[in-house]
Amino acid sequence: MTGTAVPSTSALGRDDAVTAAGPTPGAGARGLARVGRELRYLIGGLPLSIVAFVVAIAGFAAGVSTVVVWVGVPVLAATLRAVRGLARVERRSTETVLARPLPPHHYRTPSGTGLGRMVSSLAEPQSWRDLLHAVVGFPVRLTCFVVGVVWAVTGLGSALAVTWMWSLPYDDGVNGLYGLLTGTDSRLVDIAITTAGGLVLLAALPWVLRLLVAARAGLARGLLTNQSAALRARAAQLAASRRAAVAAEAQTLRRLERDIHDGPQQRLVRLTMDLEAVTRRLDDDPARARTLVAEALEQSREALTELRALSRGIAPPILADRGLGAALAAAAARSPVEVSLDVALPDGRRLADEVENTAYFVVTEALTNVAKHSAATRCAVTVTIAGSRRRDDARVVVTVTDDGVGGAHLGKGHGLAGLADRLSGVGGMLDLSSPPGGPTVLTATIPLLSDDDEGST
């Protein structure tokens, strides 16, 4: 699903206030830049429309005519894939010329494999809307190109009439518009009339271009976007993320309960038994009591150490106090495998708690599995921010690479189980590459939340 950002009303209010107050310094330059941007948009639409029209018509005709022998299925699937790429180009160019995002759209993920996946992709509605746009958009974009270019060239040529009309031959009869109206020839008057007409055309050019851009952008908005489908897909994704988060939390609680039962709880039971024995032997065997007290103290220290280790696996205090970089440095220092750490976050920047906790969990879980199963000697952890907040796709990318034996996967019963669910709970994704013999590369992407920029310290 593709999200979009909506301009704030305050920003629109500032633009309206500037317009109402009259032109400001540089307004002319901005106007010329906008005219140039819109002309490039209309001119660039012609070759794009030709390619899209040819691909759509030829691919659809070839696919439908051969679908009875199943050859048409991959042809149609490839055609829809091609027009989807062309639609992506049209969306980006439209967003660029409008200086604001289009409404969202959504492509369904095809199911199955092989031929079944191709057949499933043919049932994707937005791809057919893209194909329809490639066909219907051809005459629209062609018309916009012709009108825009002819208007601009005619206006510019007429405004510069003084540079070329003097070279035109005048016959003995009536010449020029002035001659047709009055019956008297006058080259100067004809030049003046042509120049004035060109200036009028150039003055009206911004409004004409705006109208043409609005027509082409309206067609793109109508066929290449589908906000209701995108919202439904987003609702389904959020529901799945919530279920995944609940499952991951339940798994974490079960593991925590098991770790407490197998570790600190057993030591506390032993501590209780030792203290009861001390109570019985204080009077009759003080030496033995002192030995039991020493053992009880050792049991309490070990139980406290294990509890601290468990708390570090949930949300260590250093993560809340000093941030993700310091917490990951501490986790890398505890790893029995040599770890090189590169956290490329802006100085002083704090991410949202959910993002930091998830990134920390991913790294610590990955380091635990590297130490237990990979037989690796070195491990590299990188944390970076990718994407652009203007496009609403900013995300934290966590990569853990080791030089171990490989063969890791995300199936149940393995150490990495639950990471995908944990990431899904915050809208993230997990990718694992671990061929036999290594290396193993685990990549987690975690979307930045809307308040991440405000969490700096």
Side-chain angles (χ1 to χ4, degrees):
M1 170 180 169
T2 302
T4 60
V6 179
S8 65
T9 55
S10 60
L12 295 176
R14 287 194 298 271
D15 292 340
D16 293 341
V18 170
T19 303
T24 59
R30 290 196 298 271
L32 288 176
R34 177 169 182 172
V35 168
R37 186 170 65 246
E38 291 173 342
L39 271 176
R40 288 194 301 270
Y41 175 67
L42 297 178
I43 294 173
L46 180 61
L48 180 64
S49 66
I50 293 174
V51 173
F53 182 79
V54 170
V55 169
I57 293 297
F60 181 77
V64 170
S65 62
T66 57
V67 73
V68 292
V69 292
W70 292 100
V71 176
V73 173
V75 172
L76 285 175
T79 302
L80 294 180
R81 194 73 179 179
V83 295
R84 180 189 296 193
L86 293 168
R88 186 181 303 113
V89 175
E90 178 70 5
R91 289 189 197 96
R92 289 183 178 177
S93 59
T94 302
E95 290 176 342
T96 299
V97 74
L98 296 178
R100 64 177 181 273
L102 289 173
H105 62 279
H106 172 67
Y107 292 103
R108 297 177 184 173
T109 302
S111 58
T113 58
L115 185 61
R117 186 177 182 86
M118 290 185 184
V119 174
S120 176
S121 68
L122 298 184
E124 206 292 298
Q126 184 58 52
S127 296
W128 289 103
R129 290 164 64 93
D130 295 343
L131 187 140
L132 179 62
H133 177 271
V135 176
V136 177
F138 175 71
V140 174
R141 288 186 277 189
L142 177 61
T143 302
C144 291
F145 170 84
V146 171
V147 173
V149 171
V150 170
W151 193 289
V153 172
T154 303
L156 183 61
S158 299
L160 299 176
V162 68
T163 64
W164 56 270
M165 281 192 68
W166 59 270
S167 63
L168 296 180
Y170 264 50
D171 300 330
D172 293 336
V174 176
N175 296 278
L177 179 61
Y178 181 71
L180 291 175
L181 295 176
T182 65
T184 304
D185 289 339
S186 175
R187 188 185 298 269
L188 291 178
V189 175
D190 283 339
I191 292 176
I193 292 175
T194 304
T195 302
L199 293 176
V200 171
L201 291 177
L202 290 179
L205 180 62
W207 284 272
V208 174
L209 294 180
R210 198 165 302 175
L211 179 63
L212 297 174
V213 167
R216 180 177 162 187
L219 181 65
R221 185 181 291 106
L223 291 178
L224 300 184
T225 66
N226 192 337
Q227 190 165 10
S228 59
L231 291 176
R232 288 195 299 270
R234 179 59 177 165
Q237 181 186 15
L238 290 175
S241 297
R242 184 177 62 182
R243 291 193 297 269
V246 171
E249 190 67 22
Q251 182 181 5
T252 301
L253 289 176
R254 287 193 298 269
R255 185 178 65 177
L256 180 62
E257 180 183 7
R258 182 183 67 249
D259 292 342
I260 291 177
H261 178 271
D262 295 342
Q265 181 174 323
Q266 298 300 322
R267 296 192 182 280
L268 291 175
V269 170
R270 172 71 181 278
L271 175 61
T272 302
M273 295 173 62
D274 287 345
L275 291 177
E276 290 176 348
V278 168
T279 302
R280 292 193 300 268
R281 298 188 178 185
L282 274 176
D283 296 331
D284 58 349
D285 191 355
R288 178 58 179 164
R290 282 194 296 271
T291 302
L292 291 175
V293 168
E295 293 177 357
L297 288 174
E298 183 62 26
Q299 293 294 331
S300 67
R301 293 191 189 97
E302 293 180 359
L304 183 58
T305 300
E306 291 183 356
L307 287 173
R308 285 174 176 169
L310 290 175
S311 68
R312 281 197 300 266
I314 302 171
I318 190 175
L319 179 62
D321 296 339
R322 298 175 55 190
L324 182 60
L328 292 182
R334 294 193 303 269
S335 174
V337 179
E338 182 181 353
V339 178
S340 62
L341 180 65
D342 181 14
V343 180
L345 297 178
D347 293 338
R349 176 169 180 171
R350 292 296 303 272
L351 306 178
D353 292 343
E354 295 88 342
V355 175
E356 290 192 339
N357 288 340
T358 304
Y360 180 82
F361 179 83
V362 168
V363 173
T364 54
E365 188 72 13
L367 291 179
T368 299
N369 282 275
V370 168
K372 288 183 178 179
H373 309 295
S374 71
T377 58
R378 292 182 59 84
C379 180
V381 178
T382 62
V383 181
T384 59
I385 293 181
S388 169
R389 186 157 296 282
R390 288 184 178 182
R391 293 173 60 92
D392 200 27
D393 64 349
R395 59 200 181 277
V396 176
V397 179
V398 179
T399 304
V400 182
T401 306
D402 69 69
D403 60 355
V405 297
H409 56 87
L410 302 176
K412 291 185 177 181
H414 294 265
L416 296 177
L419 271 183
D421 287 343
R422 182 71 176 257
L423 286 165
S424 179
V426 293
M429 296 181 61
L430 183 67
D431 180 71
L432 178 66
S433 173
S434 184
T440 297
V441 181
L442 184 145
T443 304
T445 58
I446 309 168
L448 288 179
L449 303 181
S450 59
D451 59 345
D452 285 344
D453 285 336
E454 300 173 3
S456 58
T457 57

